[in-house]
Every structure is written in structure tokens, then in C-alpha cells.
Amino acid sequence: MSKQIFICGCEKDGKIEKESVEKLMQTLEEKNIGFTYIEDMCGTILKNPKDLESLYTAKEAVVFGCQARAMQNLLDNSGGRKEDLTSEYHHIDDEGKDELISSLESGTGEPLQIKYSDDWKPWYPVIDYERCNGCRKCLNFCLFSVYSVEDDGTVVVSSSANCKDMCPACARVCPQNAIIFPKHAESPIDGGEGDGLQMEKTDILEQIQNDDVYSVLSARRKNFQVSLLKKDQLQMAEEERRACCSGSEKKEEKKEEKCDCDCNCKDQPEASCDCDCDCKDGDSGSCCC
């Protein structure tokens, strides 16, 4: 049975280098290996999931794109791809992809394309449930109702469109690095492995009894550095959340600005307003109401 190849170009954000995508597609075409090019998988999964039927039903799927963990959880959480199907995920710049391509069966069909034409930029979080411990810090930290809780207590991303563009604050406060923003430039927020967090045993004597003392001290130093890094992340998260809130408030203030005068220019186009009220802009001669 031949494997079905899928390539995500992440065209809506440019997370993936266009040159890398074109090079991979050219290599497959030269070897007469069929593939499906997905312009933007993050957006298509939410806006046009039916377009991904070939990916959801492929018995053996090989997906090239951004971070492997991001793509895997993106598809797993969508509910479209069944667990009994075989799936492989590879970063488009993986060093081992040439060996994988060489093992693929040639003459497997013409290239296909799945377009993404929606104006919405697909920026939203994806939860890695293998890491999530259900602490609900993401739910409590987010002010925009992106998350909700299912009847069984599971935290889910229920309102993706509410997420503020380029705000990864909830991912920074997650103690397990379980929140992924596939289009973010920073690892592990983008689904990369990053440095990770090591949970420290509370009893150092127990560690020393079971492990080499120098290894224990080295691990504690590393955890201390990670702890300082996490504090920086929390500060960044607060700043990002504050920036999103202030941006929303400014838009609301601008929308609610009204003129207090009693002139009839409120019901007329600016060009036809000839009143002498104080709300006129001295430079343009137009009425602000």
C-alpha cells in the first residue's frame, strides 16, 4: 500500500519558508510521487474541514509542514482523523526527509491542491492532551473566552475566533508547555520540543540516595535556570494580555465617541454639514459627529 503525501504551506502566515515548500514539491514531482498541497491546514481545519477528507481518510498519511507535534495535535483535536489510521508528521526542513522520500512509491498520481481563501488569519491555540494536566491555568488566564470546560472536566478550545492575533499569553502560563500556537515563531510555543520543564522532587535526600550526587546537583541547577526563565515567561504573558485588553478598550472608546452638540449635522453627511458647533475640526472644517 502506498503512502499518501500531504504538504502544508502555511501560506496565511509564512511560518514555513516558501523556498523549502517549493523544493520539496519539485523533488516529489521529479520522482513522480503524488502529493496533496494544503495552502493552510490551520485555517482549513476550522473553516473548510470537508476539503481535508483525503487527509482524514488516508490509511497511511505522511504530512510535511511546521512542527510535527503541532500538526499531530491539530489533526487529533479536530476529530477528523481516526486513531486506527497510520500518520507520520515531519518538519519540512527535517534532515531525514530525503531518505523518507527515497523510500516512497513513485507513479502515485498527479499533484492536488487544497486552497484556503478565507480572510480570517487562523491564529488560535491547540492543546497537547498528552502533556495537559487539567490545571485550567489557560482557562483562568484568558480574558477572551477562548477556552471552556466539557462535562467530564476537560478543557477545550471552544471559540478559536475569539483569540487575539499574535497573543500567546496562555501558552506562557501553562506549566506543562501543553498549549501550542502553530504559527508562533518561538519554541516550544510553536509545538517544538524546546527545553521543557523538569518536575523537581521535593526531597533532595531521596534523590541523593537513588542517584549520583553530582547528577542531582546538576539537575537542580538546570531546574533553577528553568524556573527563572518561567518567571520571565509569566511577565511576558501579563504584558501580552494587557496589550490585548488595552487595544480592545481603545477600539471601544473610539466607537462610543459622540458629539454633545444639538446641531442637525448628526443626521447629515459630513460634506453637507454647515453648522457652527464647537465639534468642528478647525483644520478640515468637518463636523466630528
Side-chain angles (χ1 to χ4, degrees):
M1 182 185 299
S2 61
K3 296 180 180 180
Q4 289 183 249
I5 312 302
F6 299 88
I7 303 171
C8 176
C10 197
E11 289 191 12
K12 201 64 178 176
D13 185 68
K15 166 74 175 176
I16 303 171
E17 292 290 338
K18 189 175 182 180
E19 184 179 346
S20 297
V21 176
E22 291 175 346
K23 184 178 179 180
L24 176 57
M25 292 170 65
Q26 182 180 355
T27 300
L28 293 172
E29 287 176 351
E30 288 174 353
K31 293 181 178 294
N32 195 24
I33 298 173
F35 63 89
T36 300
Y37 176 67
I38 305 169
E39 289 186 351
D40 196 290
M41 190 161 66
C42 289
T44 306
I45 278 178
L46 287 186
K47 293 293 184 177
N48 307 297
K50 290 183 180 180
D51 292 349
L52 294 175
E53 183 178 359
S54 59
L55 173 56
Y56 288 147
T57 58
K59 291 185 178 179
E60 289 191 54
V62 179
V63 187
F64 293 98
C66 61
Q67 299 288 4
R69 189 165 68 93
M71 293 187 292
Q72 179 176 353
N73 283 281
L74 192 65
L75 284 170
D76 287 350
N77 293 358
S78 71
R81 188 157 175 79
K82 294 182 173 60
E83 294 182 1
D84 59 342
L85 302 177
T86 303
S87 304
E88 293 181 44
Y89 303 93
H90 302 274
H91 194 284
I92 205 158
D93 292 323
D94 275 354
E95 295 179 358
K97 75 173 183 297
D98 292 336
E99 183 178 347
L100 172 61
I101 292 172
S102 299
S103 69
L104 296 175
E105 183 180 338
S106 61
T108 52
E110 295 294 322
L112 301 174
Q113 185 171 2
I114 298 175
K115 294 183 177 294
Y116 178 74
S117 56
D118 200 280
D119 291 334
W120 178 63
K121 179 181 177 180
W123 172 271
Y124 59 93
V126 178
I127 300 176
D128 182 345
Y129 286 105
E130 288 190 0
R131 295 190 178 192
C132 178
N133 65 1
C135 70
R136 302 191 184 184
K137 285 190 176 180
C138 55
L139 174 74
N140 296 326
F141 192 81
C142 178
L143 301 178
F144 309 107
S145 302
V146 173
Y147 300 95
S148 63
V149 181
E150 300 279 76
D151 292 339
D152 63 357
T154 304
V155 176
V156 296
V157 178
S158 55
S159 300
S160 302
N162 287 357
C163 192
K164 302 302 177 182
D165 189 23
M166 300 310 296
C167 174
C170 58
R172 298 191 191 280
V173 302
C174 177
Q176 303 299 118
N177 291 330
I179 305 295
I180 301 171
F181 283 88
K183 295 187 182 298
H184 198 272
E186 181 183 326
S187 181
I189 293 175
D190 68 348
E193 294 305 319
D195 293 330
L197 294 179
Q198 295 183 358
M199 300 307 291
E200 186 177 353
K201 293 181 182 178
T202 56
D203 190 351
I204 188 172
L205 291 177
E206 180 185 347
Q207 288 182 276
I208 293 174
Q209 288 170 358
N210 296 314
D211 300 301
D212 176 69
V213 63
Y214 295 106
S215 299
V216 172
L217 293 176
S218 175
R220 286 179 65 83
R221 281 195 297 270
K222 184 176 181 180
N223 283 348
F224 179 69
Q225 292 170 352
V226 169
S227 179
L228 291 178
L229 177 62
K230 198 63 181 176
K231 285 184 179 180
D232 291 339
Q233 293 287 306
L234 291 173
Q235 184 177 352
M236 290 176 67
E238 290 286 359
E239 292 172 357
E240 287 165 341
R241 181 174 68 169
R242 191 158 45 244
C244 287
C245 291
S246 61
S248 301
E249 288 169 2
K250 286 179 182 177
K251 287 182 181 179
E252 193 67 26
E253 287 174 6
K254 186 174 181 181
K255 182 179 179 183
E256 292 181 357
E257 252 180 19
K258 292 182 180 179
C259 175
D260 293 330
C261 70
D262 295 323
C263 66
N264 62 358
C265 61
K266 295 179 182 180
D267 303 318
Q268 299 179 20
E270 282 189 13
S272 63
C273 176
D274 58 358
C275 70
D276 294 323
C277 65
D278 294 336
C279 65
K280 281 215 173 185
D281 184 340
D283 296 330
S284 63
S286 63
C287 181
C288 69
C289 55

